Amino acid sequence: MSETSSQQPRVLIPEAQIERRVRELAAQIDRDYQGKGSLMLVGVLKGAFVFLADLARRLTVPREIEFMALSSYPDGSVSGAVRLVMDVRRSVERKHVLVVEDIVDTGRTLHYLIELLKTREPASIRSCALVRKEGRHEVEVQLDYVGFDIPDVWVVGYGLDYAERWRTLPYIGVVDPTEDG
Ligand code: PRP
């Protein structure tokens, strides 16, 4: 089952299964936010752009779209630390905010974002990730909606990349990052 990163990634979650799960998540979020006014979806770039686009179009509650972008400090100069490189354009104050992530791995990115947004006094804040890696979390993080729990493998596709490759695959696949392609 050895696959190099130059080969097509092995399918982990097929397109149809992702579509079904996104519909289910959207239905659950619709129920939870019914009658609460506009929901601000905050997508975390880059990875969340595909999931956010599909989720947002499945929702029926009033919604608005914002994005944030983060970057890890280079060369491990600050271990596990992230910094904000792009902020939302509109205020989150008194808004119901849902942070939308493609993947939660160590949990550091989501933890940082949630703590940051909380200081801006939203009406509420929740988070949603399509994929969560099992056994990897380094910080406790609030995750309210999860699409799939997956093992500790390198996943690509549906917004996820390996060195900027494979982001636009319609399914979630696995590559072996130790084998260079
Ligand atoms: C990925 C992913 C999350 C983060 C999760 O982003 O999109 O934001 O890592 O990891 P964590 O739980 O360990 O913090 P990445 O840094 O690869 O950037 P990208 O989305 O632009 O590819």
Side-chain angles (χ1 to χ4, degrees):
M1 201 174 60
S2 170
E3 304 218 6
T4 71
S5 57
S6 60
Q7 291 174 330
Q8 203 67 8
R10 174 172 63 82
V11 177
L12 182 69
I13 311 172
E15 190 176 356
Q17 201 179 336
I18 297 171
E19 194 187 322
R20 263 200 314 277
R21 189 69 187 120
V22 172
R23 278 178 196 274
E24 288 170 1
L25 288 170
Q28 194 183 347
I29 294 165
D30 267 342
R31 283 194 299 275
D32 292 351
Y33 287 91
Q34 208 66 51
K36 290 191 173 173
S38 184
L39 173 63
M40 183 184 276
L41 300 167
V42 177
V44 186
L45 294 174
K46 300 176 194 175
F49 81 105
V50 179
F51 177 40
L52 178 67
D54 284 350
L55 183 71
R57 288 179 296 172
R58 295 289 178 214
L59 291 171
T60 62
V61 290
R63 56 215 179 269
E64 51 195 289
I65 311 293
E66 288 290 334
F67 288 100
M68 294 176 91
L70 293 149
S71 170
S72 301
Y73 282 88
D75 309 325
S77 53
V78 184
S79 174
V82 289
R83 71 189 163 94
L84 190 65
V85 293
M86 192 188 96
D87 209 338
V88 288
R89 291 194 187 171
R90 304 188 66 204
S91 170
V92 305
E93 197 178 340
R94 294 189 298 277
K95 292 278 185 183
H96 291 290
V97 173
L98 180 64
V99 179
V100 179
E101 264 286 23
D102 49 341
I103 188 166
V104 174
D105 184 354
T106 65
R108 291 187 182 279
T109 305
L110 191 55
H111 177 77
Y112 173 90
L113 269 181
I114 289 176
E115 293 308 309
L116 175 67
L117 291 172
K118 270 184 188 168
T119 66
R120 300 176 180 178
E121 299 179 2
S124 69
I125 184 157
R126 286 187 179 178
S127 61
C128 175
L130 183 67
V131 164
R132 173 171 60 189
K133 269 194 193 178
E134 287 169 336
R136 287 273 305 167
H137 76 279
E138 293 175 9
V139 290
E140 285 306 321
V141 69
Q142 173 199 343
L143 190 49
D144 302 282
Y145 306 95
V146 184
F148 302 96
D149 280 306
I150 62 162
D152 184 14
V153 290
W154 195 290
V155 279
V156 295
Y158 202 72
L160 293 151
D161 73 308
Y162 171 60
E164 297 303 325
R165 282 191 82 186
W166 309 117
R167 272 196 206 278
T168 54
L169 282 181
Y171 62 90
I172 292 177
V174 178
V175 291
D176 183 348
T178 61
E179 296 181 30
D180 215 6

PDB file of all heavy atoms in Angstrom, residues 151-176:
ATOM      1  N   PRO A 151      -7.742   8.669  11.376  1.00  0.00           N
ATOM      2  CA  PRO A 151      -6.469   8.329  12.023  1.00  0.00           C
ATOM      3  C   PRO A 151      -5.391   9.356  11.683  1.00  0.00           C
ATOM      4  O   PRO A 151      -5.603  10.249  10.845  1.00  0.00           O
ATOM      5  CB  PRO A 151      -6.136   6.951  11.442  1.00  0.00           C
ATOM      6  CG  PRO A 151      -6.922   6.850  10.188  1.00  0.00           C
ATOM      7  CD  PRO A 151      -8.134   7.710  10.338  1.00  0.00           C
ATOM      8  N   ASP A 152      -4.230   9.202  12.302  1.00  0.00           N
ATOM      9  CA  ASP A 152      -3.130  10.142  12.104  1.00  0.00           C
ATOM     10  C   ASP A 152      -2.384   9.840  10.803  1.00  0.00           C
ATOM     11  O   ASP A 152      -1.320   9.239  10.797  1.00  0.00           O
ATOM     12  CB  ASP A 152      -2.182  10.061  13.312  1.00  0.00           C
ATOM     13  CG  ASP A 152      -1.065  11.071  13.215  1.00  0.00           C
ATOM     14  OD1 ASP A 152      -1.163  11.998  12.378  1.00  0.00           O
ATOM     15  OD2 ASP A 152      -0.092  10.934  13.975  1.00  0.00           O
ATOM     16  N   VAL A 153      -3.008  10.248   9.703  1.00  0.00           N
ATOM     17  CA  VAL A 153      -2.389  10.098   8.376  1.00  0.00           C
ATOM     18  C   VAL A 153      -2.408  11.466   7.703  1.00  0.00           C
ATOM     19  O   VAL A 153      -3.129  12.359   8.141  1.00  0.00           O
ATOM     20  CB  VAL A 153      -3.160   9.074   7.501  1.00  0.00           C
ATOM     21  CG1 VAL A 153      -2.968   7.664   8.014  1.00  0.00           C
ATOM     22  CG2 VAL A 153      -4.659   9.427   7.413  1.00  0.00           C
ATOM     23  N   TRP A 154      -1.593  11.629   6.663  1.00  0.00           N
ATOM     24  CA  TRP A 154      -1.554  12.920   5.971  1.00  0.00           C
ATOM     25  C   TRP A 154      -2.670  12.952   4.915  1.00  0.00           C
ATOM     26  O   TRP A 154      -2.633  12.200   3.960  1.00  0.00           O
ATOM     27  CB  TRP A 154      -0.201  13.175   5.305  1.00  0.00           C
ATOM     28  CG  TRP A 154      -0.095  14.627   4.941  1.00  0.00           C
ATOM     29  CD1 TRP A 154      -0.802  15.264   3.956  1.00  0.00           C
ATOM     30  CD2 TRP A 154       0.692  15.630   5.573  1.00  0.00           C
ATOM     31  NE1 TRP A 154      -0.502  16.603   3.944  1.00  0.00           N
ATOM     32  CE2 TRP A 154       0.417  16.854   4.929  1.00  0.00           C
ATOM     33  CE3 TRP A 154       1.602  15.610   6.640  1.00  0.00           C
ATOM     34  CZ2 TRP A 154       1.020  18.049   5.294  1.00  0.00           C
ATOM     35  CZ3 TRP A 154       2.204  16.808   6.987  1.00  0.00           C
ATOM     36  CH2 TRP A 154       1.917  18.004   6.324  1.00  0.00           C
ATOM     37  N   VAL A 155      -3.644  13.799   5.162  1.00  0.00           N
ATOM     38  CA  VAL A 155      -4.785  13.841   4.247  1.00  0.00           C
ATOM     39  C   VAL A 155      -4.724  15.054   3.334  1.00  0.00           C
ATOM     40  O   VAL A 155      -4.249  16.120   3.725  1.00  0.00           O
ATOM     41  CB  VAL A 155      -6.137  13.828   5.004  1.00  0.00           C
ATOM     42  CG1 VAL A 155      -6.509  12.413   5.403  1.00  0.00           C
ATOM     43  CG2 VAL A 155      -6.145  14.755   6.207  1.00  0.00           C
ATOM     44  N   VAL A 156      -5.207  14.847   2.122  1.00  0.00           N
ATOM     45  CA  VAL A 156      -5.236  15.910   1.105  1.00  0.00           C
ATOM     46  C   VAL A 156      -6.602  15.896   0.417  1.00  0.00           C
ATOM     47  O   VAL A 156      -7.373  14.944   0.550  1.00  0.00           O
ATOM     48  CB  VAL A 156      -4.123  15.707   0.041  1.00  0.00           C
ATOM     49  CG1 VAL A 156      -2.744  15.828   0.648  1.00  0.00           C
ATOM     50  CG2 VAL A 156      -4.283  14.354  -0.664  1.00  0.00           C
ATOM     51  N   GLY A 157      -6.850  16.960  -0.324  1.00  0.00           N
ATOM     52  CA  GLY A 157      -8.092  17.045  -1.086  1.00  0.00           C
ATOM     53  C   GLY A 157      -9.174  17.794  -0.328  1.00  0.00           C
ATOM     54  O   GLY A 157      -9.079  18.005   0.881  1.00  0.00           O
ATOM     55  N   TYR A 158     -10.199  18.215  -1.056  1.00  0.00           N
ATOM     56  CA  TYR A 158     -11.329  18.945  -0.483  1.00  0.00           C
ATOM     57  C   TYR A 158     -10.809  20.134   0.352  1.00  0.00           C
ATOM     58  O   TYR A 158     -11.290  20.406   1.447  1.00  0.00           O
ATOM     59  CB  TYR A 158     -12.195  18.002   0.359  1.00  0.00           C
ATOM     60  CG  TYR A 158     -13.620  18.510   0.543  1.00  0.00           C
ATOM     61  CD1 TYR A 158     -14.542  18.500  -0.508  1.00  0.00           C
ATOM     62  CD2 TYR A 158     -14.046  19.030   1.765  1.00  0.00           C
ATOM     63  CE1 TYR A 158     -15.829  18.987  -0.339  1.00  0.00           C
ATOM     64  CE2 TYR A 158     -15.339  19.517   1.939  1.00  0.00           C
ATOM     65  CZ  TYR A 158     -16.204  19.484   0.890  1.00  0.00           C
ATOM     66  OH  TYR A 158     -17.478  19.980   1.059  1.00  0.00           O
ATOM     67  N   GLY A 159      -9.793  20.814  -0.174  1.00  0.00           N
ATOM     68  CA  GLY A 159      -9.219  21.990   0.487  1.00  0.00           C
ATOM     69  C   GLY A 159      -7.885  21.729   1.155  1.00  0.00           C
ATOM     70  O   GLY A 159      -7.082  22.644   1.348  1.00  0.00           O
ATOM     71  N   LEU A 160      -7.626  20.467   1.504  1.00  0.00           N
ATOM     72  CA  LEU A 160      -6.388  20.113   2.207  1.00  0.00           C
ATOM     73  C   LEU A 160      -5.257  19.863   1.212  1.00  0.00           C
ATOM     74  O   LEU A 160      -5.484  19.294   0.140  1.00  0.00           O
ATOM     75  CB  LEU A 160      -6.615  18.846   3.032  1.00  0.00           C
ATOM     76  CG  LEU A 160      -7.572  18.984   4.214  1.00  0.00           C
ATOM     77  CD1 LEU A 160      -8.266  17.657   4.482  1.00  0.00           C
ATOM     78  CD2 LEU A 160      -6.807  19.451   5.435  1.00  0.00           C
ATOM     79  N   ASP A 161      -4.055  20.249   1.612  1.00  0.00           N
ATOM     80  CA  ASP A 161      -2.929  20.127   0.684  1.00  0.00           C
ATOM     81  C   ASP A 161      -1.752  19.379   1.290  1.00  0.00           C
ATOM     82  O   ASP A 161      -1.664  19.212   2.507  1.00  0.00           O
ATOM     83  CB  ASP A 161      -2.433  21.515   0.280  1.00  0.00           C
ATOM     84  CG  ASP A 161      -1.673  22.197   1.425  1.00  0.00           C
ATOM     85  OD1 ASP A 161      -2.229  22.267   2.535  1.00  0.00           O
ATOM     86  OD2 ASP A 161      -0.524  22.620   1.211  1.00  0.00           O
ATOM     87  N   TYR A 162      -0.858  18.975   0.396  1.00  0.00           N
ATOM     88  CA  TYR A 162       0.487  18.593   0.796  1.00  0.00           C
ATOM     89  C   TYR A 162       1.420  19.469  -0.042  1.00  0.00           C
ATOM     90  O   TYR A 162       1.469  19.303  -1.264  1.00  0.00           O
ATOM     91  CB  TYR A 162       0.750  17.102   0.532  1.00  0.00           C
ATOM     92  CG  TYR A 162       2.212  16.739   0.737  1.00  0.00           C
ATOM     93  CD1 TYR A 162       2.810  16.927   1.975  1.00  0.00           C
ATOM     94  CD2 TYR A 162       2.983  16.253  -0.309  1.00  0.00           C
ATOM     95  CE1 TYR A 162       4.137  16.644   2.160  1.00  0.00           C
ATOM     96  CE2 TYR A 162       4.314  15.951  -0.128  1.00  0.00           C
ATOM     97  CZ  TYR A 162       4.886  16.152   1.111  1.00  0.00           C
ATOM     98  OH  TYR A 162       6.215  15.864   1.295  1.00  0.00           O
ATOM     99  N   ALA A 163       2.095  20.431   0.592  1.00  0.00           N
ATOM    100  CA  ALA A 163       2.947  21.392  -0.113  1.00  0.00           C
ATOM    101  C   ALA A 163       2.189  22.033  -1.288  1.00  0.00           C
ATOM    102  O   ALA A 163       2.697  22.104  -2.403  1.00  0.00           O
ATOM    103  CB  ALA A 163       4.239  20.727  -0.581  1.00  0.00           C
ATOM    104  N   GLU A 164       0.972  22.452  -1.013  1.00  0.00           N
ATOM    105  CA  GLU A 164       0.078  23.136  -1.981  1.00  0.00           C
ATOM    106  C   GLU A 164      -0.461  22.227  -3.086  1.00  0.00           C
ATOM    107  O   GLU A 164      -1.176  22.695  -3.970  1.00  0.00           O
ATOM    108  CB  GLU A 164       0.755  24.380  -2.594  1.00  0.00           C
ATOM    109  CG  GLU A 164       1.086  25.464  -1.574  1.00  0.00           C
ATOM    110  CD  GLU A 164      -0.139  25.954  -0.786  1.00  0.00           C
ATOM    111  OE1 GLU A 164      -1.225  26.009  -1.362  1.00  0.00           O
ATOM    112  OE2 GLU A 164       0.016  26.252   0.415  1.00  0.00           O
ATOM    113  N   ARG A 165      -0.175  20.944  -3.017  1.00  0.00           N
ATOM    114  CA  ARG A 165      -0.750  20.016  -4.022  1.00  0.00           C
ATOM    115  C   ARG A 165      -2.034  19.412  -3.498  1.00  0.00           C
ATOM    116  O   ARG A 165      -2.234  19.275  -2.303  1.00  0.00           O
ATOM    117  CB  ARG A 165       0.228  18.880  -4.317  1.00  0.00           C
ATOM    118  CG  ARG A 165       1.344  19.285  -5.231  1.00  0.00           C
ATOM    119  CD  ARG A 165       2.099  18.055  -5.672  1.00  0.00           C
ATOM    120  NE  ARG A 165       1.436  17.375  -6.795  1.00  0.00           N
ATOM    121  CZ  ARG A 165       1.838  16.209  -7.279  1.00  0.00           C
ATOM    122  NH1 ARG A 165       2.857  15.589  -6.741  1.00  0.00           N
ATOM    123  NH2 ARG A 165       1.211  15.660  -8.302  1.00  0.00           N
ATOM    124  N   TRP A 166      -2.854  19.019  -4.398  1.00  0.00           N
ATOM    125  CA  TRP A 166      -4.033  18.189  -4.159  1.00  0.00           C
ATOM    126  C   TRP A 166      -5.217  18.907  -3.500  1.00  0.00           C
ATOM    127  O   TRP A 166      -6.205  18.268  -3.168  1.00  0.00           O
ATOM    128  CB  TRP A 166      -3.710  16.950  -3.295  1.00  0.00           C
ATOM    129  CG  TRP A 166      -2.561  16.113  -3.730  1.00  0.00           C
ATOM    130  CD1 TRP A 166      -1.407  15.891  -3.027  1.00  0.00           C
ATOM    131  CD2 TRP A 166      -2.428  15.354  -4.934  1.00  0.00           C
ATOM    132  NE1 TRP A 166      -0.570  15.060  -3.716  1.00  0.00           N
ATOM    133  CE2 TRP A 166      -1.175  14.712  -4.897  1.00  0.00           C
ATOM    134  CE3 TRP A 166      -3.248  15.172  -6.065  1.00  0.00           C
ATOM    135  CZ2 TRP A 166      -0.710  13.897  -5.916  1.00  0.00           C
ATOM    136  CZ3 TRP A 166      -2.789  14.364  -7.081  1.00  0.00           C
ATOM    137  CH2 TRP A 166      -1.550  13.742  -6.990  1.00  0.00           C
ATOM    138  N   ARG A 167      -5.154  20.222  -3.353  1.00  0.00           N
ATOM    139  CA  ARG A 167      -6.237  20.923  -2.657  1.00  0.00           C
ATOM    140  C   ARG A 167      -7.599  20.750  -3.328  1.00  0.00           C
ATOM    141  O   ARG A 167      -8.626  20.764  -2.669  1.00  0.00           O
ATOM    142  CB  ARG A 167      -5.962  22.433  -2.602  1.00  0.00           C
ATOM    143  CG  ARG A 167      -5.149  22.873  -1.432  1.00  0.00           C
ATOM    144  CD  ARG A 167      -5.257  24.368  -1.253  1.00  0.00           C
ATOM    145  NE  ARG A 167      -4.093  24.911  -0.587  1.00  0.00           N
ATOM    146  CZ  ARG A 167      -3.911  24.906   0.728  1.00  0.00           C
ATOM    147  NH1 ARG A 167      -4.817  24.397   1.518  1.00  0.00           N
ATOM    148  NH2 ARG A 167      -2.809  25.420   1.244  1.00  0.00           N
ATOM    149  N   THR A 168      -7.588  20.630  -4.635  1.00  0.00           N
ATOM    150  CA  THR A 168      -8.871  20.646  -5.347  1.00  0.00           C
ATOM    151  C   THR A 168      -9.380  19.257  -5.719  1.00  0.00           C
ATOM    152  O   THR A 168     -10.340  19.126  -6.476  1.00  0.00           O
ATOM    153  CB  THR A 168      -8.780  21.535  -6.611  1.00  0.00           C
ATOM    154  OG1 THR A 168      -7.687  21.081  -7.402  1.00  0.00           O
ATOM    155  CG2 THR A 168      -8.584  22.987  -6.220  1.00  0.00           C
ATOM    156  N   LEU A 169      -8.779  18.217  -5.169  1.00  0.00           N
ATOM    157  CA  LEU A 169      -9.360  16.875  -5.325  1.00  0.00           C
ATOM    158  C   LEU A 169     -10.775  16.888  -4.745  1.00  0.00           C
ATOM    159  O   LEU A 169     -10.992  17.460  -3.678  1.00  0.00           O
ATOM    160  CB  LEU A 169      -8.569  15.846  -4.521  1.00  0.00           C
ATOM    161  CG  LEU A 169      -7.251  15.288  -5.015  1.00  0.00           C
ATOM    162  CD1 LEU A 169      -6.754  14.278  -3.978  1.00  0.00           C
ATOM    163  CD2 LEU A 169      -7.412  14.646  -6.365  1.00  0.00           C
ATOM    164  N   PRO A 170     -11.711  16.219  -5.370  1.00  0.00           N
ATOM    165  CA  PRO A 170     -13.080  16.229  -4.838  1.00  0.00           C
ATOM    166  C   PRO A 170     -13.282  15.317  -3.630  1.00  0.00           C
ATOM    167  O   PRO A 170     -14.303  15.389  -2.971  1.00  0.00           O
ATOM    168  CB  PRO A 170     -13.918  15.742  -6.031  1.00  0.00           C
ATOM    169  CG  PRO A 170     -12.974  14.954  -6.866  1.00  0.00           C
ATOM    170  CD  PRO A 170     -11.620  15.561  -6.676  1.00  0.00           C
ATOM    171  N   TYR A 171     -12.319  14.453  -3.365  1.00  0.00           N
ATOM    172  CA  TYR A 171     -12.424  13.532  -2.214  1.00  0.00           C
ATOM    173  C   TYR A 171     -11.286  13.796  -1.241  1.00  0.00           C
ATOM    174  O   TYR A 171     -10.367  14.568  -1.547  1.00  0.00           O
ATOM    175  CB  TYR A 171     -12.364  12.075  -2.700  1.00  0.00           C
ATOM    176  CG  TYR A 171     -11.075  11.685  -3.383  1.00  0.00           C
ATOM    177  CD1 TYR A 171     -10.007  11.169  -2.669  1.00  0.00           C
ATOM    178  CD2 TYR A 171     -10.923  11.826  -4.766  1.00  0.00           C
ATOM    179  CE1 TYR A 171      -8.825  10.811  -3.290  1.00  0.00           C
ATOM    180  CE2 TYR A 171      -9.734  11.479  -5.403  1.00  0.00           C
ATOM    181  CZ  TYR A 171      -8.698  10.981  -4.661  1.00  0.00           C
ATOM    182  OH  TYR A 171      -7.512  10.632  -5.280  1.00  0.00           O
ATOM    183  N   ILE A 172     -11.347  13.183  -0.052  1.00  0.00           N
ATOM    184  CA  ILE A 172     -10.223  13.262   0.877  1.00  0.00           C
ATOM    185  C   ILE A 172      -9.385  12.011   0.715  1.00  0.00           C
ATOM    186  O   ILE A 172      -9.899  10.882   0.800  1.00  0.00           O
ATOM    187  CB  ILE A 172     -10.708  13.456   2.329  1.00  0.00           C
ATOM    188  CG1 ILE A 172     -11.341  14.860   2.459  1.00  0.00           C
ATOM    189  CG2 ILE A 172      -9.544  13.311   3.320  1.00  0.00           C
ATOM    190  CD1 ILE A 172     -11.917  15.165   3.812  1.00  0.00           C
ATOM    191  N   GLY A 173      -8.107  12.225   0.433  1.00  0.00           N
ATOM    192  CA  GLY A 173      -7.212  11.104   0.179  1.00  0.00           C
ATOM    193  C   GLY A 173      -6.021  11.142   1.106  1.00  0.00           C
ATOM    194  O   GLY A 173      -5.804  12.109   1.843  1.00  0.00           O
ATOM    195  N   VAL A 174      -5.249  10.066   1.041  1.00  0.00           N
ATOM    196  CA  VAL A 174      -4.072   9.931   1.899  1.00  0.00           C
ATOM    197  C   VAL A 174      -2.821   9.905   1.038  1.00  0.00           C
ATOM    198  O   VAL A 174      -2.779   9.208   0.016  1.00  0.00           O
ATOM    199  CB  VAL A 174      -4.147   8.615   2.720  1.00  0.00           C
ATOM    200  CG1 VAL A 174      -2.901   8.436   3.575  1.00  0.00           C
ATOM    201  CG2 VAL A 174      -5.389   8.596   3.594  1.00  0.00           C
ATOM    202  N   VAL A 175      -1.805  10.683   1.450  1.00  0.00           N
ATOM    203  CA  VAL A 175      -0.490  10.581   0.812  1.00  0.00           C
ATOM    204  C   VAL A 175       0.541  10.248   1.889  1.00  0.00           C
ATOM    205  O   VAL A 175       0.308  10.472   3.072  1.00  0.00           O
ATOM    206  CB  VAL A 175      -0.071  11.893   0.094  1.00  0.00           C
ATOM    207  CG1 VAL A 175      -0.916  12.137  -1.124  1.00  0.00           C
ATOM    208  CG2 VAL A 175      -0.104  13.083   1.042  1.00  0.00           C
ATOM    209  N   ASP A 176       1.665   9.742   1.426  1.00  0.00           N
ATOM    210  CA  ASP A 176       2.757   9.455   2.345  1.00  0.00           C
ATOM    211  C   ASP A 176       3.811  10.542   2.168  1.00  0.00           C
ATOM    212  O   ASP A 176       4.558  10.534   1.189  1.00  0.00           O
ATOM    213  CB  ASP A 176       3.346   8.078   2.037  1.00  0.00           C
ATOM    214  CG  ASP A 176       4.447   7.710   3.024  1.00  0.00           C
ATOM    215  OD1 ASP A 176       4.887   8.605   3.783  1.00  0.00           O
ATOM    216  OD2 ASP A 176       4.857   6.549   3.020  1.00  0.00           O
TER     217      ASP A 176
END
